[in-house]
Amino acid sequence: MVTTRFAPSPNGPLHLGHAYSAIVAHDLARAAGGRFLLRVEDIDGVRSKPELAAEFRADLQWLGLEWTEVPAQSSRFASYDDAAQRLKDMGLLYSCNCTRADIAAAAVEAGPEGPVYPGTCQGKNIPGEGAAWRLDITRALARTGTLHWTDDLAGQQRAVPDQAGDVVLLRKDAPASYDLAATLDDARDGVTLVTRGRDLFSASHIHRLLQELLGLPVPRWHHHALLVDKSGTKLAKRRGSPSLADRRLAGEDGQKLAQALRQSRFPAGISLDPS
Ligand code: GLU
């Protein structure tokens, strides 16, 4: 059974890029007679706006999609703690109190997500209270050996989680990082095909490592191309892309819009990023 999901964070309204992503995930599941899930990724209590979850459901319905909703991340904190404790027991996490500025100043090179953390706090036993916890990638890889994963579009990949440095798994300001929470939730929700934009491709290297360390099932991935504007920039509400809610409330036909997106007929100035 193929199970896909759409996992928006309720920190801003959905726009056309989200609609495209949800439709890709929905249609891949439907074509295989499988399930399409909605999971609200409200791990970040500070930035999440609870009222947006209802708006997301209204948007998906307007697009003509059908889904099964699974529990939001805010109801799953205990499972994140539990997994983090297991990684701590394996000696794979270390506490870190570096600020962004510390990291930028000490970083030797910039990775795809910004400067790579140079390991400043490793071995220092910083008091855990109020600190972030990072995964010691070198130790983790020594334990798992070489790993592979498969993207339906990009083919087989050798996992290179080390390119991002020692990632934070427990944040100072939230119960878990996106990487830990999403990996655990995808396993728990029985997701077999992780469908999302290519901007999150590099995260999948880390997720594959976490799956191996925590004994989770390994899905396949489908990282679709992103919708971009005339300047080649990813769509975002703050750069003036109208939200789906704006379009819906203005009386636009959502099912027609969904059909157009399926056929790669995009509104003026919007296209799929070929890179
Ligand atoms: N919650 C993430 C976001 O809104 C998406 C995560 C994912 O699809 O893995 O960007």
Side-chain angles (χ1 to χ4, degrees):
M1 156 88 82
V2 171
T3 300
T4 65
R5 90 299 195 271
F6 176 57
S9 302
N11 49 22
L14 303 183
H15 54 65
L16 272 185
H18 293 108
Y20 183 75
S21 202
I23 290 166
V24 168
H26 172 273
D27 290 4
L28 283 169
R30 286 290 170 270
R35 293 190 312 152
F36 169 60
L37 309 179
L38 169 66
R39 183 174 68 234
V40 176
E41 297 213 319
D42 56 354
I43 187 93
D44 187 331
V46 180
R47 289 184 195 85
S48 289
K49 301 191 185 88
E51 67 278 10
L52 283 176
E55 194 172 280
F56 292 176
R57 292 180 202 111
D59 290 340
L60 296 186
Q61 198 165 20
W62 173 70
L63 290 167
L65 307 186
E66 283 172 25
W67 67 92
T68 301
E69 185 161 352
V70 293
Q73 291 189 325
S74 54
S75 67
R76 294 177 159 184
F77 292 168
S79 68
Y80 310 147
D81 284 349
D82 199 58
Q85 192 54 52
R86 286 172 55 205
L87 295 170
K88 283 181 186 170
D89 293 346
M90 290 182 228
L92 296 178
L93 299 194
Y94 63 90
S95 47
C96 167
N97 61 4
C98 289
T99 62
R100 274 171 207 266
D102 293 337
I103 296 167
V108 274
E109 56 179 312
E113 257 93 54
V116 173
Y117 180 68
T120 321
C121 292
Q122 198 176 23
K124 284 198 186 157
N125 287 319
I126 305 285
E129 198 62 31
W133 288 79
R134 290 181 180 273
L135 178 64
D136 185 328
I137 300 269
T138 310
R139 265 197 199 185
L141 279 174
R143 198 178 168 112
T144 62
T146 305
L147 300 170
H148 293 91
W149 55 279
T150 305
D151 180 276
D152 281 352
L153 302 174
Q156 212 203 30
Q157 309 290 315
R158 186 173 70 83
V160 282
D162 36 341
Q163 69 182 0
D166 290 348
V167 288
V168 169
L169 293 191
L170 295 178
R171 287 165 48 177
K172 288 179 191 169
D173 58 346
S177 70
Y178 155 67
D179 294 309
L180 181 61
T183 303
L184 289 166
D185 293 346
D186 282 338
R188 187 157 165 184
D189 296 334
V191 173
T192 62
L193 182 60
V194 175
T195 305
R196 59 183 168 224
R198 275 192 203 144
D199 52 337
L200 287 169
F201 195 93
S202 61
S204 300
H205 292 296
I206 296 159
H207 300 184
R208 179 66 189 88
L209 175 61
L210 290 173
Q211 286 153 2
E212 199 68 15
L213 295 170
L214 294 166
L216 304 174
V218 183
R220 295 171 71 85
W221 281 262
H222 179 111
H223 292 93
H224 60 76
L226 298 178
L227 289 190
V228 290
D229 63 19
K230 274 191 193 126
S231 66
T233 313
K234 187 177 129 173
L235 302 188
K237 172 79 175 157
R238 66 175 181 284
R239 283 190 289 270
S241 303
S243 68
L244 298 184
D246 291 342
R247 291 172 175 271
R248 173 165 55 79
L249 296 171
E252 188 175 336
D253 184 330
Q255 298 199 24
K256 254 195 192 159
L257 174 67
Q259 268 321 100
L261 293 177
R262 286 186 172 102
Q263 294 161 1
S264 297
R265 285 187 287 113
F266 304 113
I270 294 176
S271 58
L272 270 182
D273 185 357
S275 61

